[in-house]
Amino acid sequence: MELSRRTVIAGAAAAGIAATTAAGGTAHAAGGRGKPVKTLFGTLADGTKVHSWSLENGGTRMKVLSYGGIVQSLEVPDRRGRHTNVSLGFDTIEDYVASSPYFGALIGRYGNRIDQGRFTLDGKQYQLSVNDGENSLHGGAQGFDKRVWDVEPFTAGSDVGLRLYHTSVDGEMGYPGTLRAKVTYTLTRHGDWRIDYAATTDRATVVNLTSHVYWNLAGEGSGSVYDHELSIAASRYTPVDSGLIPTGELARVAATPFDFRRAKPIGRDIRTAHQQVLYGQGFDHNWVLDKGITSRPEHVATLRDPSSGRTLRIATTEPGLQFYSGNFLDGTLTGTGGHVYRQGDGLCLETQHFPDSPNQPSFPSTVLRPGQTYRTTTVHSFDA
């Protein structure tokens, strides 16, 4: 679907949010564990400064932007101890504002798609910002990925991290209620990257927060991830229509290209003439995790690059995982390493509730009411 990942910034352009990069704006990783280091990354057209925060702990190095909560880079060692950036991104704020397909961003209010940008809650229909053909994708034209977050660094025992805050006012992008979101990025002494999401509202609303890092464990800009081996602990997935909206069915993965219960190369079945693969131009679907919703993060997926030995393990409290195989990267974007990104040069593993849940009564609910607190956690663990 041509618009689904490449027209995500149209709203920002219409709003005139051009940007200029400040001299010396790219942050440098802090040495060892310690308080995160803040540097100026760039300035938006309205004069808002965008900062970069550098973190390091347990062998993992991160750079995070206040714009969109974006993970601009994430470096982990290979089997020989050599660090490289394994997440796709840009060097300048101009590129993030002008053309980013959600590289590394925090996603909200609602991760993934909502059919026609409409849903009914407590008898009232809401019309959301439509930015993906007829549908609303990742919170609309001005989602959380295009907001400048308030950032508070912290150290706690052997951990180091950032607390990010954003208030989404009632009616923003069509969503009801003022939503106060807090997202905590933690690097542990083991080098794990933990994300804790929390939100409250003053009116009934829907919420589904996630992270949109594009992974390439061989290194950003190194080429296709089709030889990466992936396993997902899911016996079912949610098939979609031609607009990538779930049909409501929970289909079995057995005997389909969607069976990742045992690790296999991503490219093995990606060219299979299966209708669902054709709809997604590859994989762009939600897997129904066998574990369901859990109070603590449980392991759900493993991604491994045979060439470097780097391995990513994901644990989450969420019931779903969107595996997107970078199908709409089309050679028009140049990344941090100076290489052009083409189809399949990165992949996303977005922990989430299911797409279009507000219109699918049989799916786990994404409704949040006053007095409740939305909480989810996802942990990324690295090895080689």
Side-chain angles (χ1 to χ4, degrees), residues 14 20 34 37 81 99 179 191 213 260 294 338 364:
T20 57
V37 176
S99 55
L179 188 82
V213 171
F260 284 88
T294 49

Side-chain angles (χ1 to χ4, degrees), residues 288-304:
V288 179
L289 300 173
D290 290 339
K291 72 173 189 63
I293 299 172
T294 49
S295 59
R296 295 184 178 182
E298 294 187 11
H299 175 260
V300 296
T302 300
L303 180 69
R304 181 177 180 272

Side-chain angles (χ1 to χ4, degrees), residues 139-150:
Q142 290 286 312
F144 287 6
D145 59 297
K146 300 174 186 68
R147 306 294 178 177
V148 176
W149 291 64
D150 294 325

Side-chain angles (χ1 to χ4, degrees), residues 5 61-65 68-76 85-89 96 100-107 138 145 185 193-195 197 209-217 220 225 303 312 314 321-326 329 341 345-351 378 380 382:
R5 302 270 173 168
R61 305 167 182 165
M62 290 179 67
K63 295 178 185 176
V64 177
L65 305 183
I70 288 169
V71 176
Q72 192 226 359
S73 69
L74 194 152
E75 298 181 10
V76 293
N85 177 23
V86 296
S87 68
L88 275 56
Y96 280 109
S100 178
Y102 304 102
F103 284 151
L106 281 176
I107 301 299
H138 293 333
D145 59 297
Y185 289 169
W193 173 37
R194 177 181 174 121
I195 312 175
Y197 304 90
L209 306 182
T210 191
S211 172
H212 210 287
V213 171
Y214 284 67
W215 301 101
N216 186 324
L217 297 183
E220 174 275 335
V225 295
L303 180 69
L312 165 64
I314 296 178
L321 180 75
Q322 184 84 6
F323 165 36
Y324 167 58
S325 53
L329 298 174
Y341 295 147
D345 282 359
L347 65 92
C348 301
L349 297 168
E350 305 157 59
T351 55
T378 295
H380 306 81
F382 304 97

Side-chain angles (χ1 to χ4, degrees), residues 78-143:
D78 65 7
R79 60 168 63 93
R80 298 181 181 178
R82 298 174 299 189
H83 280 75
T84 197
N85 177 23
V86 296
S87 68
L88 275 56
F90 296 122
D91 276 331
T92 70
I93 191 62
E94 292 100 328
D95 286 333
Y96 280 109
V97 170
S99 55
S100 178
Y102 304 102
F103 284 151
L106 281 176
I107 301 299
R109 284 189 193 189
Y110 198 95
N112 223 300
R113 296 173 176 85
I114 295 180
D115 188 20
Q116 299 181 69
R118 298 176 190 162
F119 68 93
T120 299
L121 179 59
D122 295 338
K124 182 176 180 179
Q125 186 178 86
Y126 295 92
Q127 178 62 59
L128 307 176
S129 166
V130 171
N131 62 329
D132 179 38
E134 298 180 345
N135 304 318
S136 183
L137 174 66
H138 293 333
Q142 290 286 312

